[in-house]
Amino acid sequence: MKNLAEEARSILQEYVDKEHNGVRSRAANALGIANMTLKQWLDGTRVPNLENLSPAFERLGISFSKPAVQEVTRDVCWVNAKIMPAGEHVAPPVAEDYLAAPLVGEVGAGPGYLPQESVESWFLVYKHVPAIMGRRNLIAVEIGKTSTSMLPLLSPGDIVLVDRDDIDVSHAGHIMLVRDPEGAGMVKRVSVQPTPGGKDFSIQFYSDNAATNPPLLYSLREDYGGEISNAIVGRVIWAWSDVRGK
């Protein structure tokens, strides 16, 4: 059984071949999408999501419906964790001093971050750390196993803590959890600048390991519908890293 991306690719390819004699640029123009976007969808180098596909498919008289999602509530309780020897004679931790941040998926190697079908784990965060004080809407995500774009700062397998309430991009260079126009999650530095004429903004996602990861440049208006929240999930404020090999 085909998934959404495979079915969409099949429909689009048939449309290009039959209605436009294989001329992709004419098909893209008729569908109201960028030629490069259509090329990447058909090549399989970018995976379209339902939101991106809908406007194009409406022109073809095709509609998709999202499956119903059942709202799930989760109770998080404080457990008596094993105390390390160094803390055997110290008062145990106080639950009110910690926040439980859900580990929700993997980024940097393809689609992934909220929403997920299930929370993979939880990270207890000491809320009196200056970087975390006053923050409440936190998630943890894992850097993909093959993602090296943020080396040497972040390595594959590292866990980063993201504040979803902080999407301020007024200062260039902050490390953010971002989405490409197809919804794939990435951890990148961000720079947002007005375009000449002031009618749009260019969004640049760039990596610390720039030699093998060139910057990604997008249009806020054309690629994200003019909404910065469609591009920025939140700011990375903390990280857990395996330093044994560093």
Side-chain angles (χ1 to χ4, degrees), residues 196-219:
K199 294 184 178 180
D200 194 8
F201 288 86
S202 64
I203 303 178
Q204 185 181 88
F205 300 149
Y206 59 100
S207 307
D208 284 6
N209 186 12
T212 55
N213 298 271
L216 304 172
L217 190 63
Y218 299 107
S219 160

Side-chain angles (χ1 to χ4, degrees), residues 12 25 27-38 41 52 55-56 59:
L12 290 170
S25 60
N29 184 62
L31 292 172
I33 58 179
N35 183 39
M36 180 57 68
T37 298
L38 179 58
W41 285 357
N52 298 122
R59 300 191 180 201

Side-chain angles (χ1 to χ4, degrees), residues 101-237:
L103 177 63
V104 298
E106 186 177 281
V107 296
Y113 88 92
L114 281 180
Q116 297 284 344
E117 291 183 358
S118 62
V119 171
E120 297 179 7
S121 185
W122 295 90
F123 275 76
L124 291 182
V125 182
Y126 187 60
K127 67 182 183 182
H128 301 298
V129 173
I132 297 170
M133 289 177 62
R135 300 180 187 267
R136 291 293 181 269
N137 191 7
L138 303 175
I139 59 172
V141 294
E142 182 180 359
I143 303 297
K145 300 295 190 299
T146 61
S147 179
T148 59
S149 67
M150 291 302 290
L151 286 172
L153 181 64
L154 298 172
S155 301
D158 286 355
I159 305 293
V160 296
L161 190 66
V162 177
D163 182 1
R164 294 197 297 173
D165 287 337
D166 188 349
I167 60 172
D168 182 7
V169 291
S170 59
H171 299 285
H174 286 166
I175 303 173
M176 315 288 281
L177 174 58
V178 303
R179 286 183 284 225
D180 74 7
E182 306 305 329
M186 304 176 289
V187 171
K188 300 286 186 182
R189 295 189 186 273
V190 177
S191 175
V192 177
Q193 301 294 332
T195 58
K199 294 184 178 180
D200 194 8
F201 288 86
S202 64
I203 303 178
Q204 185 181 88
F205 300 149
Y206 59 100
S207 307
D208 284 6
N209 186 12
T212 55
N213 298 271
L216 304 172
L217 190 63
Y218 299 107
S219 160
L220 179 63
R221 183 177 61 186
E222 295 181 5
D223 294 310
Y224 294 103
E227 295 292 336
I228 194 66
S229 59
N230 292 335
I232 309 297
V233 179
R235 183 176 177 183
V236 174
I237 60 170

Side-chain angles (χ1 to χ4, degrees), residues 1-168:
M1 180 178 181
K2 292 182 178 179
N3 59 30
L4 174 61
E6 292 171 339
E7 185 67 30
R9 189 178 303 119
S10 177
I11 293 171
L12 290 170
Q13 188 62 66
E14 182 178 2
Y15 175 71
V16 171
D17 294 339
K18 290 187 176 182
E19 301 298 328
H20 296 279
N21 296 317
V23 181
R24 187 187 296 129
S25 60
R26 293 202 327 230
N29 184 62
L31 292 172
I33 58 179
N35 183 39
M36 180 57 68
T37 298
L38 179 58
K39 176 183 182 299
Q40 292 172 332
W41 285 357
L42 295 177
D43 291 346
T45 56
R46 286 173 68 175
V47 180
N49 59 28
L50 190 58
E51 183 178 356
N52 298 122
L53 282 171
S54 293
F57 273 36
E58 283 178 2
R59 300 191 180 201
L60 300 178
I62 299 172
S63 63
F64 289 103
S65 59
K66 296 182 179 180
V69 178
Q70 183 178 0
E71 186 70 22
V72 178
T73 58
R74 301 183 179 92
D75 293 326
V76 181
C77 62
W78 184 267
V79 298
N80 293 322
K82 181 179 180 180
I83 302 296
M84 294 290 99
E88 287 179 346
H89 304 293
V90 181
V94 179
E96 286 74 16
D97 287 337
Y98 292 83
L99 300 172
L103 177 63
V104 298
E106 186 177 281
V107 296
Y113 88 92
L114 281 180
Q116 297 284 344
E117 291 183 358
S118 62
V119 171
E120 297 179 7
S121 185
W122 295 90
F123 275 76
L124 291 182
V125 182
Y126 187 60
K127 67 182 183 182
H128 301 298
V129 173
I132 297 170
M133 289 177 62
R135 300 180 187 267
R136 291 293 181 269
N137 191 7
L138 303 175
I139 59 172
V141 294
E142 182 180 359
I143 303 297
K145 300 295 190 299
T146 61
S147 179
T148 59
S149 67
M150 291 302 290
L151 286 172
L153 181 64
L154 298 172
S155 301
D158 286 355
I159 305 293
V160 296
L161 190 66
V162 177
D163 182 1
R164 294 197 297 173
D165 287 337
D166 188 349
I167 60 172
D168 182 7

